[in-house]
Amino acid sequence: MPVALMALALSAFAIGTTEFVIMGLLPEVARDLQVSIPSAGWLISGYALGVAIGAPIMALLTARLPRKKTLILLMVIFIVGNLLCALAYNYNLLMLARIVTALCHGAFFGIGAVVAASLVPAGRQASAVALMFTGLTLANVLGVPLGTSFGQMFGWRATFWGVAVIGVLAFIALIVSLPNNKEEKPVHLASEIGALANGKLWLSLLMTVFFAAAMFALFSYIAPLLLEVTGISDRGVSWTLFLIGAGLTVGNILGGKLADWKVSFSLILSFSLIASFSLLFSWTSHALWLAEITLFLWAMATFATVPGLQINVVRHGKEAPNLVSTLNISAFNVGNALGAWVGGAVIGRGYGLTAVPVAAAALAAIGLLICLITFRKSGRAAAKVRA
């Protein structure tokens, strides 16, 4: 296993922790800053929109830089953003700090995925991308529950101080371990933008949008749902987040192996399972052990989708891997914002917290439909070539 992959995974762990830990700390942030839970939920949407808008811009601005220098620069922005989060003393400043932090997110994961795939032989690329994203899933296994507990004990700002320290460690690891690829070809902006004229690429990106929307419609409000519907304690929320993170990690590894075998099958199966388990959770959320089992299975299905989505997008935009890979992260975060908004709208309109998983299932069903359309078109095109 290349050491550079471990450095990328550590960076992904830091970035994933700062993105997701806010979900476990929503009640504390809302209470401290004197805003409602749905308003605090906009900190999730604001971060996601910052990623969605900032990712392609950062990818284009850094297009002529070597990938190693780009990743190091993006980690510096990440560290600064988390320090600003820790220092924010009101809602508006925290929102601004979250957006600054988000600027590095999409470009880092997009370019980092390309670098990860380049470190291994063909046929193992989805697994290499999955290994990098294991840092993201471990953020949910370790970073989010520990960060949530830490924030509950010492105040939510302490969590962001801790994440900034992890960012510094990742920064050092990237400098030491990433190879200087002297054979890396310079990027031409015209060819990068020209690669976007591909309908299947946009269908693939739309698939990512609805995958993320389905995930975050439920995940954004998991803490209040567990507290008010399942009836568990603050400490129980941390343990449940740990369980979810374990499911995400297992699903990510299995998804990488499945996508190496057949991308279309892995995505169709994952979308079907996300819709099924989300709908099931609307009933099992009232019973502790059934809720825990359902959330673990839901988490496995959810992150089994990630490697396939990333490889699928790069496959349809191989002329501009940096840009399209980064755009996929943007699409993920557009879906993040959409899902958080849908979940908040469901709560705000008085349907109750148990309606949130139903909305998530509906979003996953839309993603499944797009998935079937995308691969049906691909199958037809392949049949024409054989004819």
Side-chain angles (χ1 to χ4, degrees):
M1 182 188 301
V3 176
L5 274 178
M6 301 305 295
L8 290 170
L10 177 61
S11 303
F13 174 83
I15 295 172
T17 299
T18 207
E19 178 181 21
F20 296 131
V21 76
I22 193 73
M23 298 169 191
L25 294 173
L26 273 188
E28 284 74 25
V29 171
R31 205 161 38 239
D32 184 52
L33 300 181
Q34 298 181 342
V35 297
S36 67
I37 289 288
S39 294
W42 273 104
L43 292 167
I44 301 167
S45 298
Y47 184 97
L49 291 173
V51 175
I53 296 169
I57 294 173
M58 295 298 291
L60 291 173
L61 287 176
T62 59
R64 295 188 178 278
L65 287 176
R67 288 176 183 145
K68 178 175 180 177
K69 288 185 178 179
T70 299
L71 293 174
I72 291 169
L73 173 63
L74 293 171
M75 188 50 60
V76 170
I77 296 172
F78 171 82
I79 294 166
V80 171
N82 278 282
L83 291 175
L84 291 174
C85 286
L87 295 169
Y89 57 85
N90 63 37
Y91 179 83
N92 291 333
L93 287 175
L94 181 58
M95 178 67 80
L96 178 62
R98 292 281 290 171
I99 292 171
V100 170
T101 310
L103 290 176
C104 80
H105 183 123
F108 191 97
F109 275 109
I111 297 170
V114 174
V115 171
S118 73
L119 295 171
V120 297
R124 293 176 53 196
Q125 293 178 333
S127 293
V129 172
L131 181 58
M132 174 187 164
F133 277 88
T134 297
L136 188 61
T137 60
L138 286 175
N140 288 281
V141 174
L142 299 174
V144 171
L146 290 177
T148 299
S149 296
F150 196 67
Q152 289 169 347
M153 288 188 291
F154 303 107
W156 60 266
R157 291 179 179 82
T159 299
F160 289 101
W161 285 111
V163 172
V165 171
I166 299 172
V168 172
L169 295 176
F171 170 77
I172 295 169
L174 291 172
I175 293 174
V176 172
S177 67
L178 284 185
N180 292 305
N181 190 353
K182 295 181 180 179
E183 297 179 0
E184 190 175 314
K185 296 178 181 178
V187 174
H188 299 287
L189 293 182
S191 64
E192 290 270 308
I193 296 172
L196 302 182
N198 183 336
K200 290 178 186 175
L201 171 63
W202 290 102
L203 277 174
S204 298
L205 291 171
L206 193 60
M207 200 188 304
T208 299
V209 168
F210 279 94
F211 152 72
M215 177 180 179
F216 284 97
L218 175 55
F219 201 21
S220 297
Y221 299 95
I222 195 67
L225 201 156
L226 289 169
L227 288 168
E228 297 180 30
V229 177
T230 311
I232 66 178
S233 64
D234 286 343
R235 188 175 181 182
V237 170
S238 297
W239 280 109
T240 303
L241 291 174
F242 178 88
L243 181 71
I244 289 172
L248 295 175
T249 302
V250 173
N252 182 58
I253 295 169
L254 293 177
K257 294 184 181 300
L258 199 58
D260 275 334
W261 174 63
K262 194 168 185 179
V263 171
S264 58
F265 177 79
S266 72
L267 291 177
I268 290 168
L269 176 63
S270 296
F271 271 108
S272 301
L273 292 175
I274 293 168
S276 300
F277 290 131
S278 296
L279 189 60
L280 182 63
F281 185 63
S282 66
W283 292 303
T284 62
S285 58
H286 295 278
L288 175 61
W289 290 110
L290 289 177
E292 300 286 305
I293 293 168
T294 306
L295 285 174
F296 180 80
L297 295 173
W298 169 84
M300 280 184 60
T302 298
F303 252 58
T305 318
V306 172
L309 289 171
Q310 194 72 20
I311 293 296
N312 187 52
V313 165
V314 173
R315 180 181 294 176
H316 292 304
K318 55 189 174 185
E319 296 84 3
N322 280 13
L323 181 58
V324 299
S325 186
T326 298
L327 281 173
N328 194 48
I329 305 301
S330 291
F332 180 88
N333 283 274
V334 169
N336 180 332
L338 174 63
W341 177 81
V342 168
V346 166
I347 297 169
R349 289 178 179 270
Y351 293 107
L353 285 165
T354 53
V356 171
V358 178
L363 291 166
I366 295 172
L368 175 61
L369 179 61
I370 297 167
C371 189
L372 293 170
I373 292 170
T374 302
F375 291 117
R376 187 178 181 185
K377 287 189 173 186
S378 297
R380 286 178 176 175
K384 286 181 180 179
V385 171
R386 287 194 298 269

PDB file of all heavy atoms in Angstrom, residues 5 113-114 116-132 256 259-260 307 310-311 314-315:
ATOM      1  N   LEU A   5      -1.041   7.102  -0.233  1.00  0.00           N
ATOM      2  CA  LEU A   5      -2.475   6.846  -0.069  1.00  0.00           C
ATOM      3  C   LEU A   5      -2.905   7.064   1.377  1.00  0.00           C
ATOM      4  O   LEU A   5      -4.010   7.563   1.642  1.00  0.00           O
ATOM      5  CB  LEU A   5      -2.811   5.417  -0.499  1.00  0.00           C
ATOM      6  CG  LEU A   5      -3.097   5.174  -1.984  1.00  0.00           C
ATOM      7  CD1 LEU A   5      -3.364   3.697  -2.232  1.00  0.00           C
ATOM      8  CD2 LEU A   5      -4.268   6.015  -2.469  1.00  0.00           C
ATOM      9  N   ALA A 113      -8.493  12.148  -5.595  1.00  0.00           N
ATOM     10  CA  ALA A 113      -8.959  10.881  -6.168  1.00  0.00           C
ATOM     11  C   ALA A 113      -8.178  10.531  -7.429  1.00  0.00           C
ATOM     12  O   ALA A 113      -7.855   9.365  -7.670  1.00  0.00           O
ATOM     13  CB  ALA A 113     -10.455  10.964  -6.475  1.00  0.00           C
ATOM     14  N   VAL A 114      -7.873  11.543  -8.247  1.00  0.00           N
ATOM     15  CA  VAL A 114      -7.072  11.319  -9.454  1.00  0.00           C
ATOM     16  C   VAL A 114      -5.671  10.842  -9.068  1.00  0.00           C
ATOM     17  O   VAL A 114      -5.125   9.904  -9.667  1.00  0.00           O
ATOM     18  CB  VAL A 114      -6.995  12.604 -10.306  1.00  0.00           C
ATOM     19  CG1 VAL A 114      -6.047  12.419 -11.485  1.00  0.00           C
ATOM     20  CG2 VAL A 114      -8.380  12.993 -10.807  1.00  0.00           C
ATOM     21  N   ALA A 116      -4.807   9.344  -6.246  1.00  0.00           N
ATOM     22  CA  ALA A 116      -4.932   8.001  -5.668  1.00  0.00           C
ATOM     23  C   ALA A 116      -4.998   6.941  -6.761  1.00  0.00           C
ATOM     24  O   ALA A 116      -4.328   5.897  -6.682  1.00  0.00           O
ATOM     25  CB  ALA A 116      -6.167   7.924  -4.779  1.00  0.00           C
ATOM     26  N   ALA A 117      -5.803   7.206  -7.786  1.00  0.00           N
ATOM     27  CA  ALA A 117      -5.935   6.244  -8.890  1.00  0.00           C
ATOM     28  C   ALA A 117      -4.627   6.077  -9.650  1.00  0.00           C
ATOM     29  O   ALA A 117      -4.335   4.991 -10.173  1.00  0.00           O
ATOM     30  CB  ALA A 117      -7.049   6.682  -9.834  1.00  0.00           C
ATOM     31  N   SER A 118      -3.823   7.137  -9.708  1.00  0.00           N
ATOM     32  CA  SER A 118      -2.559   7.077 -10.448  1.00  0.00           C
ATOM     33  C   SER A 118      -1.473   6.297  -9.707  1.00  0.00           C
ATOM     34  O   SER A 118      -0.449   5.939 -10.301  1.00  0.00           O
ATOM     35  CB  SER A 118      -2.055   8.497 -10.739  1.00  0.00           C
ATOM     36  OG  SER A 118      -1.562   9.113  -9.553  1.00  0.00           O
ATOM     37  N   LEU A 119      -1.691   6.024  -8.419  1.00  0.00           N
ATOM     38  CA  LEU A 119      -0.682   5.346  -7.607  1.00  0.00           C
ATOM     39  C   LEU A 119      -0.741   3.828  -7.703  1.00  0.00           C
ATOM     40  O   LEU A 119       0.123   3.137  -7.160  1.00  0.00           O
ATOM     41  CB  LEU A 119      -0.838   5.762  -6.139  1.00  0.00           C
ATOM     42  CG  LEU A 119      -0.560   7.235  -5.807  1.00  0.00           C
ATOM     43  CD1 LEU A 119      -0.976   7.546  -4.375  1.00  0.00           C
ATOM     44  CD2 LEU A 119       0.905   7.583  -6.027  1.00  0.00           C
ATOM     45  N   VAL A 120      -1.784   3.299  -8.384  1.00  0.00           N
ATOM     46  CA  VAL A 120      -1.967   1.845  -8.448  1.00  0.00           C
ATOM     47  C   VAL A 120      -2.168   1.411  -9.896  1.00  0.00           C
ATOM     48  O   VAL A 120      -2.499   2.234 -10.763  1.00  0.00           O
ATOM     49  CB  VAL A 120      -3.185   1.406  -7.604  1.00  0.00           C
ATOM     50  CG1 VAL A 120      -2.973   1.733  -6.144  1.00  0.00           C
ATOM     51  CG2 VAL A 120      -4.467   2.052  -8.121  1.00  0.00           C
ATOM     52  N   PRO A 121      -2.002   0.118 -10.188  1.00  0.00           N
ATOM     53  CA  PRO A 121      -2.222  -0.372 -11.556  1.00  0.00           C
ATOM     54  C   PRO A 121      -3.692  -0.301 -11.953  1.00  0.00           C
ATOM     55  O   PRO A 121      -4.586  -0.231 -11.098  1.00  0.00           O
ATOM     56  CB  PRO A 121      -1.757  -1.836 -11.484  1.00  0.00           C
ATOM     57  CG  PRO A 121      -0.959  -1.941 -10.229  1.00  0.00           C
ATOM     58  CD  PRO A 121      -1.498  -0.924  -9.293  1.00  0.00           C
ATOM     59  N   ALA A 122      -3.945  -0.336 -13.262  1.00  0.00           N
ATOM     60  CA  ALA A 122      -5.315  -0.376 -13.782  1.00  0.00           C
ATOM     61  C   ALA A 122      -6.014  -1.620 -13.249  1.00  0.00           C
ATOM     62  O   ALA A 122      -5.407  -2.670 -13.081  1.00  0.00           O
ATOM     63  CB  ALA A 122      -5.299  -0.390 -15.308  1.00  0.00           C
ATOM     64  N   GLY A 123      -7.312  -1.492 -12.977  1.00  0.00           N
ATOM     65  CA  GLY A 123      -8.066  -2.610 -12.406  1.00  0.00           C
ATOM     66  C   GLY A 123      -8.170  -2.539 -10.895  1.00  0.00           C
ATOM     67  O   GLY A 123      -8.959  -3.265 -10.300  1.00  0.00           O
ATOM     68  N   ARG A 124      -7.374  -1.666 -10.283  1.00  0.00           N
ATOM     69  CA  ARG A 124      -7.456  -1.482  -8.826  1.00  0.00           C
ATOM     70  C   ARG A 124      -7.761  -0.030  -8.481  1.00  0.00           C
ATOM     71  O   ARG A 124      -7.635   0.379  -7.325  1.00  0.00           O
ATOM     72  CB  ARG A 124      -6.135  -1.904  -8.176  1.00  0.00           C
ATOM     73  CG  ARG A 124      -5.840  -3.393  -8.270  1.00  0.00           C
ATOM     74  CD  ARG A 124      -4.479  -3.742  -7.700  1.00  0.00           C
ATOM     75  NE  ARG A 124      -4.315  -3.225  -6.344  1.00  0.00           N
ATOM     76  CZ  ARG A 124      -3.139  -3.116  -5.732  1.00  0.00           C
ATOM     77  NH1 ARG A 124      -2.026  -3.450  -6.368  1.00  0.00           N
ATOM     78  NH2 ARG A 124      -3.067  -2.639  -4.505  1.00  0.00           N
ATOM     79  N   GLN A 125      -8.132   0.757  -9.486  1.00  0.00           N
ATOM     80  CA  GLN A 125      -8.290   2.196  -9.272  1.00  0.00           C
ATOM     81  C   GLN A 125      -9.467   2.530  -8.377  1.00  0.00           C
ATOM     82  O   GLN A 125      -9.375   3.422  -7.524  1.00  0.00           O
ATOM     83  CB  GLN A 125      -8.390   2.905 -10.624  1.00  0.00           C
ATOM     84  CG  GLN A 125      -7.093   2.825 -11.420  1.00  0.00           C
ATOM     85  CD  GLN A 125      -7.193   3.480 -12.777  1.00  0.00           C
ATOM     86  OE1 GLN A 125      -8.269   3.565 -13.371  1.00  0.00           O
ATOM     87  NE2 GLN A 125      -6.067   3.941 -13.290  1.00  0.00           N
ATOM     88  N   ALA A 126     -10.590   1.814  -8.551  1.00  0.00           N
ATOM     89  CA  ALA A 126     -11.746   2.079  -7.682  1.00  0.00           C
ATOM     90  C   ALA A 126     -11.414   1.750  -6.228  1.00  0.00           C
ATOM     91  O   ALA A 126     -11.818   2.457  -5.307  1.00  0.00           O
ATOM     92  CB  ALA A 126     -12.962   1.278  -8.144  1.00  0.00           C
ATOM     93  N   SER A 127     -10.645   0.687  -6.025  1.00  0.00           N
ATOM     94  CA  SER A 127     -10.237   0.325  -4.662  1.00  0.00           C
ATOM     95  C   SER A 127      -9.294   1.361  -4.065  1.00  0.00           C
ATOM     96  O   SER A 127      -9.347   1.654  -2.861  1.00  0.00           O
ATOM     97  CB  SER A 127      -9.555  -1.051  -4.660  1.00  0.00           C
ATOM     98  OG  SER A 127     -10.485  -2.064  -4.990  1.00  0.00           O
ATOM     99  N   ALA A 128      -8.416   1.948  -4.919  1.00  0.00           N
ATOM    100  CA  ALA A 128      -7.512   3.003  -4.434  1.00  0.00           C
ATOM    101  C   ALA A 128      -8.294   4.243  -4.036  1.00  0.00           C
ATOM    102  O   ALA A 128      -8.023   4.864  -3.000  1.00  0.00           O
ATOM    103  CB  ALA A 128      -6.477   3.347  -5.508  1.00  0.00           C
ATOM    104  N   VAL A 129      -9.278   4.608  -4.868  1.00  0.00           N
ATOM    105  CA  VAL A 129     -10.148   5.746  -4.528  1.00  0.00           C
ATOM    106  C   VAL A 129     -10.912   5.444  -3.241  1.00  0.00           C
ATOM    107  O   VAL A 129     -11.044   6.302  -2.362  1.00  0.00           O
ATOM    108  CB  VAL A 129     -11.115   6.045  -5.688  1.00  0.00           C
ATOM    109  CG1 VAL A 129     -12.157   7.082  -5.271  1.00  0.00           C
ATOM    110  CG2 VAL A 129     -10.345   6.539  -6.915  1.00  0.00           C
ATOM    111  N   ALA A 130     -11.384   4.195  -3.126  1.00  0.00           N
ATOM    112  CA  ALA A 130     -12.096   3.797  -1.905  1.00  0.00           C
ATOM    113  C   ALA A 130     -11.201   3.903  -0.679  1.00  0.00           C
ATOM    114  O   ALA A 130     -11.649   4.310   0.393  1.00  0.00           O
ATOM    115  CB  ALA A 130     -12.627   2.366  -2.049  1.00  0.00           C
ATOM    116  N   LEU A 131      -9.908   3.551  -0.847  1.00  0.00           N
ATOM    117  CA  LEU A 131      -8.987   3.644   0.282  1.00  0.00           C
ATOM    118  C   LEU A 131      -8.816   5.090   0.725  1.00  0.00           C
ATOM    119  O   LEU A 131      -8.803   5.388   1.923  1.00  0.00           O
ATOM    120  CB  LEU A 131      -7.632   3.045  -0.088  1.00  0.00           C
ATOM    121  CG  LEU A 131      -6.576   3.060   1.012  1.00  0.00           C
ATOM    122  CD1 LEU A 131      -7.074   2.320   2.255  1.00  0.00           C
ATOM    123  CD2 LEU A 131      -5.268   2.446   0.524  1.00  0.00           C
ATOM    124  N   MET A 132      -8.688   6.003  -0.236  1.00  0.00           N
ATOM    125  CA  MET A 132      -8.611   7.418   0.132  1.00  0.00           C
ATOM    126  C   MET A 132      -9.887   7.841   0.866  1.00  0.00           C
ATOM    127  O   MET A 132      -9.833   8.505   1.907  1.00  0.00           O
ATOM    128  CB  MET A 132      -8.423   8.279  -1.115  1.00  0.00           C
ATOM    129  CG  MET A 132      -8.472   9.772  -0.807  1.00  0.00           C
ATOM    130  SD  MET A 132      -8.442  10.787  -2.290  1.00  0.00           S
ATOM    131  CE  MET A 132      -8.993  12.362  -1.616  1.00  0.00           C
ATOM    132  N   GLY A 256     -15.863  -0.299  -3.331  1.00  0.00           N
ATOM    133  CA  GLY A 256     -14.688  -0.198  -4.194  1.00  0.00           C
ATOM    134  C   GLY A 256     -14.434  -1.491  -4.939  1.00  0.00           C
ATOM    135  O   GLY A 256     -14.168  -1.495  -6.149  1.00  0.00           O
ATOM    136  N   ALA A 259     -17.233  -1.994  -7.538  1.00  0.00           N
ATOM    137  CA  ALA A 259     -17.085  -1.092  -8.686  1.00  0.00           C
ATOM    138  C   ALA A 259     -15.919  -1.505  -9.585  1.00  0.00           C
ATOM    139  O   ALA A 259     -15.966  -1.305 -10.800  1.00  0.00           O
ATOM    140  CB  ALA A 259     -16.896   0.346  -8.212  1.00  0.00           C
ATOM    141  N   ASP A 260     -14.858  -2.083  -8.987  1.00  0.00           N
ATOM    142  CA  ASP A 260     -13.766  -2.620  -9.803  1.00  0.00           C
ATOM    143  C   ASP A 260     -14.276  -3.744 -10.703  1.00  0.00           C
ATOM    144  O   ASP A 260     -13.774  -3.948 -11.808  1.00  0.00           O
ATOM    145  CB  ASP A 260     -12.633  -3.153  -8.913  1.00  0.00           C
ATOM    146  CG  ASP A 260     -11.660  -2.060  -8.490  1.00  0.00           C
ATOM    147  OD1 ASP A 260     -11.534  -1.059  -9.223  1.00  0.00           O
ATOM    148  OD2 ASP A 260     -11.040  -2.193  -7.422  1.00  0.00           O
ATOM    149  N   PRO A 307     -17.270   5.032  -4.415  1.00  0.00           N
ATOM    150  CA  PRO A 307     -16.212   4.742  -5.398  1.00  0.00           C
ATOM    151  C   PRO A 307     -16.745   4.620  -6.823  1.00  0.00           C
ATOM    152  O   PRO A 307     -16.130   5.108  -7.778  1.00  0.00           O
ATOM    153  CB  PRO A 307     -15.625   3.416  -4.903  1.00  0.00           C
ATOM    154  CG  PRO A 307     -15.981   3.343  -3.463  1.00  0.00           C
ATOM    155  CD  PRO A 307     -17.306   4.018  -3.348  1.00  0.00           C
ATOM    156  N   GLN A 310     -17.488   8.060  -8.360  1.00  0.00           N
ATOM    157  CA  GLN A 310     -16.269   8.788  -8.723  1.00  0.00           C
ATOM    158  C   GLN A 310     -15.640   8.216  -9.998  1.00  0.00           C
ATOM    159  O   GLN A 310     -15.280   8.956 -10.913  1.00  0.00           O
ATOM    160  CB  GLN A 310     -15.276   8.729  -7.564  1.00  0.00           C
ATOM    161  CG  GLN A 310     -14.116   9.703  -7.673  1.00  0.00           C
ATOM    162  CD  GLN A 310     -14.528  11.146  -7.429  1.00  0.00           C
ATOM    163  OE1 GLN A 310     -15.570  11.415  -6.842  1.00  0.00           O
ATOM    164  NE2 GLN A 310     -13.715  12.075  -7.881  1.00  0.00           N
ATOM    165  N   ILE A 311     -15.528   6.892 -10.071  1.00  0.00           N
ATOM    166  CA  ILE A 311     -14.946   6.257 -11.255  1.00  0.00           C
ATOM    167  C   ILE A 311     -15.836   6.462 -12.475  1.00  0.00           C
ATOM    168  O   ILE A 311     -15.362   6.694 -13.595  1.00  0.00           O
ATOM    169  CB  ILE A 311     -14.722   4.749 -10.995  1.00  0.00           C
ATOM    170  CG1 ILE A 311     -13.640   4.554  -9.929  1.00  0.00           C
ATOM    171  CG2 ILE A 311     -14.362   4.014 -12.272  1.00  0.00           C
ATOM    172  CD1 ILE A 311     -12.266   5.053 -10.330  1.00  0.00           C
ATOM    173  N   VAL A 314     -15.294  10.037 -13.889  1.00  0.00           N
ATOM    174  CA  VAL A 314     -13.995  10.173 -14.562  1.00  0.00           C
ATOM    175  C   VAL A 314     -13.994   9.405 -15.881  1.00  0.00           C
ATOM    176  O   VAL A 314     -13.403   9.840 -16.868  1.00  0.00           O
ATOM    177  CB  VAL A 314     -12.855   9.686 -13.644  1.00  0.00           C
ATOM    178  CG1 VAL A 314     -11.521   9.665 -14.385  1.00  0.00           C
ATOM    179  CG2 VAL A 314     -12.753  10.587 -12.415  1.00  0.00           C
ATOM    180  N   ARG A 315     -14.687   8.279 -15.935  1.00  0.00           N
ATOM    181  CA  ARG A 315     -14.777   7.489 -17.166  1.00  0.00           C
ATOM    182  C   ARG A 315     -15.432   8.291 -18.290  1.00  0.00           C
ATOM    183  O   ARG A 315     -15.037   8.179 -19.456  1.00  0.00           O
ATOM    184  CB  ARG A 315     -15.580   6.216 -16.882  1.00  0.00           C
ATOM    185  CG  ARG A 315     -15.766   5.295 -18.064  1.00  0.00           C
ATOM    186  CD  ARG A 315     -16.593   4.082 -17.677  1.00  0.00           C
ATOM    187  NE  ARG A 315     -15.911   3.238 -16.711  1.00  0.00           N
ATOM    188  CZ  ARG A 315     -16.466   2.162 -16.161  1.00  0.00           C
ATOM    189  NH1 ARG A 315     -17.708   1.839 -16.439  1.00  0.00           N
ATOM    190  NH2 ARG A 315     -15.783   1.444 -15.297  1.00  0.00           N
TER     191      ARG A 315
END
